[in-house]
Amino acid sequence: MRIRNRPRASGAIPDASMSDIAFLLLLFFLVTTTFEVQKGISYKLPKKPDETTEEVVIDETNRLVMTIKQWGAHEYVVLIDQAPPDGPLQRARAGEDVSLQDTTLQNGIRTLAAQRAEAIDAVQGRLLNNLEVAKGLPSGTFSSLETAIAAENLVAMIRPGIIRTYLGAATPMENSPVFGEVAFGDTLVLSDARQGDIASAVRESELVVILKFFPDCDYEGMVHALDVLRMNGVSRTGITIQQRMGGGA
Amino acid sequence: MKFKSRMKVGSTIFTGTMADIVFLLLVFFMATTLFKEEGGLRVRFPQAHPQVMSELGKQFLTVTVWIKQSDPGNDNSELIARIGDYDMPVDQVAEQLNRLSNKFWREQNQKLDVVVLNVDTRVPMEDIVGLFNDMRFEEIYSIQFNAEDLGLYN
């Protein structure tokens, strides 16, 4: 007589849903992953003074001095100490405080900056210098930007700046034989097919804005002030503290 | 007479390796995912317009400095700075940055490109200008003021 085996319990773990679980986990990580990017306002401090330092006096026509003080939480007021003669902010020198967000103040800064947009030759000279630094070449290797572009097989292009948005048709433009029409606030870029951007230079304003902060004004005020200046085409700034007057500590 | 049908070309896509690919992707994301946990001091960031903010490229060698008041909002309270896991008075920050810069140069032949400042909004400007002067003295010039997006300009 043939004896039938008893049915055995299977020892296998069902793995049919494994790929479903993996897909779910994959979707979760795809959705939640954030690659952290730090963003902020870049700033270059002036070189420390030494024997080789030359004292540069900023011409009165290119100089705007503003004192900034705190006026409650997140509010800052500006007093114009010095403004270029015959400019839009001259009247503000009467000693009246205006808010940092004041439209007249911002329009005035923007107009002053636009009137002092640097010449295209100066920007191209800086771009050439940046290219030589980026390539590790000694200064003066290339006689001109055109020579450098041909020798290094580079592509020249313009990246439009935000100032075009605010000034519109009034944006100062200048023609360049290499780049074509360059507006104030635009960035000139040299790139190559392999490495991408190699060097860049912004067509800045020659206006220098000195920010004098009251000692107890907070850090947020400085970031706001720099933000306002950058938005209005000013990139050359000085930051200092308003000296306390009288016998205070 | 019975004709044999010609051999047909299969039109299915082979999916046998799909699960392997998914697992590989899964392992990649599991390994690279960073649940953001700031290691520094708890600070309130200032805001700025996105148009004026620049992004630090991955090729830059950066050091992040955190600065806050021990009693936020009180101008007379002491300032605490943190670099990495070390807390220090703010007047030692520039010297410490110089030490780090030299270390990078010695060990990795790389220069410190940018110092990222994560400063609480309430820190007085007097101290910040003091820090800038100290940094200039230590020949550290390039900085970035970390800020949050203010949103679209209106």
Side-chain angles (χ1 to χ4, degrees), chain A residues 215 243-249, chain B residues 126:
Chain A
Q243 295 302 317
R244 287 179 200 271
M245 305 298 279
Chain B
E126 191 174 25

Side-chain angles (χ1 to χ4, degrees), chain B residues 92-146:
Chain B
Q92 288 179 18
V93 168
E95 199 185 330
Q96 186 63 29
L97 287 172
N98 187 31
R99 252 184 243 135
L100 277 172
S101 176
N102 291 336
K103 189 171 179 241
F104 289 139
W105 184 248
R106 240 185 1 256
E107 294 176 3
Q108 300 173 27
N109 207 23
Q110 265 188 300
K111 279 187 175 170
L112 172 62
D113 293 305
V114 185
V115 173
V116 179
L117 288 180
N118 291 341
V119 183
D120 189 86
T121 54
R122 293 159 288 188
V123 170
M125 271 308 291
E126 191 174 25
D127 300 295
I128 295 297
V129 171
L131 174 65
F132 291 164
N133 283 330
D134 291 349
M135 285 170 68
R136 285 176 64 204
F137 186 76
E138 300 291 351
E139 297 183 4
I140 292 163
Y141 301 115
S142 197
I143 48 183
Q144 190 187 56
F145 308 119
N146 208 353

